[in-house]
Amino acid sequence: MIEAGRRHSDVASHFGVTQITISRLASRYRTTGSVNDRRRSGRPRVTTAAQDRYIVTSHLRNRFLTVPSTAIGTPGRTNNRISANTVRRRLAEKGIKARRPYKGIKFTQRHRRNRAQWARNHARWTRHQWNGVVFSDESRYLLDRVDGRQWVYRRRGERYSDACVPEVDRYGGGSIMVWGAISYHHRSRLVVVPGNLTGVRYRDEILAPVVVSLMNANRGLTLFQQDNARCLSARVCSIYFRQQHVNVLPWPAKSPDPSPKEHLWDVLDRRVRRRAPSTLQELELYLQQEWNAIPQTDIQKLIRSMRRRCLAVRDANGGHTRY
C-alpha cells in the first residue's frame, strides 16, 4: 500500500495500528528487504558446547548421578557454578529426564547365563506346547496396602488433616497366602495356605489333591511349572513327582518375569482391592470369588505371551525385561 502511494496514516488506520508501527516496518523493509523481525542475540548460554556434552555424558555413565552434584562440579562461563535447573534443561534437550527406576532382582552372572540359555531353549516352542503346561505359583496378600502408591489431593497445611491421612496398619493388618495353578483351558481351585508352607505340606495339601488330580483329569496337560522356592523343590516333592510320573518344566532361578502367573496375581489383587475388604475373612472370601470370576480368556492371553517373554529374556541376555 505504501509503494502504491498511500500515506502512512491511511495504512495505519486500515490495519488498526499506530502510524509509528507502519513507519518502522517501512524503514525496515527499505533497509533489509523484509518486514520480519531481525535475529536478536538473546541471553547467552551459561555453558559451552563442551560442557553440555560433559553433562550429558556424566549422566549416561552414572544414571543415578544427582543433578545438584553435577551443577556444583560444572563452572559457568561468567560465574563459578551453574544452577541445577540449567543441568536439567541440558539433559532434557537430549531426551534425558528423571524417572522412577524399576527395582529388579539382583542377578549374578550365573543367573543371567542360565536365564538366557533357558530362553533360547524355549523361544521356539509352539503355542500347542505352551498350552500343555500347568503354571503354578503362590502369593501373599495383605489386608492393608503399605506400599505408598496412594496419592492424596490436599491444600497447603492439610498434611496431617484426618481427611488426608489414610490409616493403615504398619505391618499390613495381617495377610493370607494363596496358591493357584492355570493352564490354557483349565485352572485349579485357589488354595489358602495357613502358616508356613513346607515341602511335606506342599506335597500333601497341594500336589496330591490338586495338581495330580488336575493333570490326570486332563490328558492334554503334560508339564507342570513351579518356581525354585525351597519348599517347592524339596526332596520329598521331587520323589513324589517321579512316583506320580509328573514331568516338571525346568525353571531358571530368580525368574518371575517369564511366568504369566505374576501378572495374574496382579489382576486378582486389583479386583479384590476394588471391593475393599476390612477383615481377613472378607479378604479370603473375595480372593476365592474373584479367582473364579477371572475370565479364562484373560488367562489364555497371558499364556499366549510366553514366546514374547522368552524372546525378551533372550534379547536381554538374561537381564531384566519389561515383563
Side-chain angles (χ1 to χ4, degrees):
M1 295 173 68
I2 293 175
E3 289 178 345
R6 301 287 295 274
R7 294 183 300 177
H8 289 188
S9 57
D10 296 338
V11 177
S13 60
H14 178 79
F15 289 102
V17 297
T18 63
Q19 185 175 348
I20 296 177
T21 301
I22 298 301
S23 299
R24 287 176 177 174
L25 288 174
S27 175
R28 185 185 306 169
Y29 183 78
R30 288 193 299 268
T31 305
T32 64
S34 173
V35 295
N36 295 330
D37 290 342
R38 286 168 289 184
R39 291 181 58 86
R40 297 178 174 86
S41 60
R43 182 179 178 180
R45 291 170 72 93
V46 297
T47 56
T48 63
Q51 288 176 323
D52 294 344
R53 292 193 298 269
Y54 168 77
I55 292 172
V56 173
T57 304
S58 299
H59 283 265
L60 289 180
R61 289 177 176 173
N62 183 4
R63 300 306 179 97
F64 294 95
L65 184 65
T66 61
V67 166
S69 63
T70 305
I72 293 174
T74 307
R77 278 180 167 176
T78 58
N79 50 12
N80 294 330
R81 54 174 294 187
I82 62 176
S83 67
N85 287 333
T86 299
V87 176
R88 293 189 183 96
R89 286 194 293 269
R90 299 299 181 266
L91 294 175
E93 290 172 0
K94 299 299 181 181
I96 304 173
K97 296 183 179 180
R99 294 177 173 86
R100 181 180 298 178
Y102 166 76
K103 296 182 179 180
I105 300 174
K106 186 176 182 179
F107 293 140
T108 63
Q109 289 300 321
R110 180 173 61 87
H111 292 142
R112 292 176 180 268
R113 184 170 56 252
N114 293 341
R115 282 167 49 86
Q117 184 61 46
W118 181 90
R120 285 191 290 268
N121 294 340
H122 296 82
R124 294 184 178 275
W125 273 30
T126 63
R127 184 176 298 178
H128 177 73
Q129 288 176 290
W130 288 118
N131 291 353
V133 179
V134 178
F135 296 91
S136 69
D137 194 18
E138 68 282 346
S139 181
R140 184 175 295 277
Y141 290 89
L142 298 175
L143 183 62
D144 293 326
R145 297 291 292 270
V146 290
D147 58 0
R149 290 193 295 178
Q150 187 177 7
W151 294 84
V152 60
Y153 294 90
R154 59 178 176 83
R155 293 184 290 263
R156 184 183 296 273
E158 293 183 336
R159 178 181 177 87
Y160 301 104
S161 175
D162 290 342
C164 303
V165 178
E167 296 181 344
V168 296
D169 191 279
R170 181 179 295 273
Y171 302 101
S175 63
I176 294 178
M177 176 180 282
V178 295
W179 178 95
I182 59 171
S183 68
Y184 193 79
H185 295 290
H186 310 89
R187 81 183 75 180
S188 71
R189 61 182 175 89
L190 192 68
V191 180
V192 178
V193 182
N196 295 326
L197 184 63
T198 63
V200 175
R201 290 189 59 194
Y202 181 58
R203 179 195 62 187
D204 298 338
E205 300 177 15
I206 295 178
L207 293 181
V210 182
V211 175
V212 175
S213 300
L214 178 65
M215 299 188 70
N216 289 338
N218 303 278
R219 295 300 179 182
L221 303 178
T222 57
L223 284 174
F224 177 69
Q225 180 272 337
Q226 62 180 8
D227 57 30
N228 295 280
R230 187 179 297 273
C231 59
L232 308 186
S233 57
R235 186 169 179 268
V236 293
C237 299
S238 301
I239 295 175
Y240 185 77
F241 284 134
R242 289 195 297 268
Q243 292 175 348
Q244 299 298 323
H245 306 288
V246 175
N247 297 320
V248 180
L249 176 68
W251 200 257
K254 294 189 176 182
S255 299
D257 45 336
S259 175
K261 281 302 298 293
E262 299 297 331
H263 284 77
L264 191 64
W265 290 137
D266 187 62
V267 171
L268 179 62
D269 180 69
R270 283 186 274 111
R271 295 174 68 100
V272 171
R273 293 302 159 191
R274 285 198 293 264
R275 302 180 64 173
S278 57
T279 64
L280 288 177
Q281 291 75 17
E282 287 186 353
L283 177 61
E284 179 179 346
L285 176 62
Y286 296 162
L287 284 170
Q288 295 284 0
Q289 292 177 349
E290 296 299 334
W291 170 262
N292 296 324
I294 295 177
Q296 188 67 26
T297 54
D298 292 354
I299 297 177
Q300 293 174 351
K301 182 179 178 180
L302 290 174
I303 295 179
R304 285 197 298 267
S305 68
M306 281 305 301
R307 186 173 185 274
R308 297 196 300 271
R309 295 169 186 267
C310 293
L311 293 176
V313 175
R314 185 200 65 182
D315 295 341
N317 200 21
H320 301 286
T321 67
R322 68 184 185 91
Y323 293 100

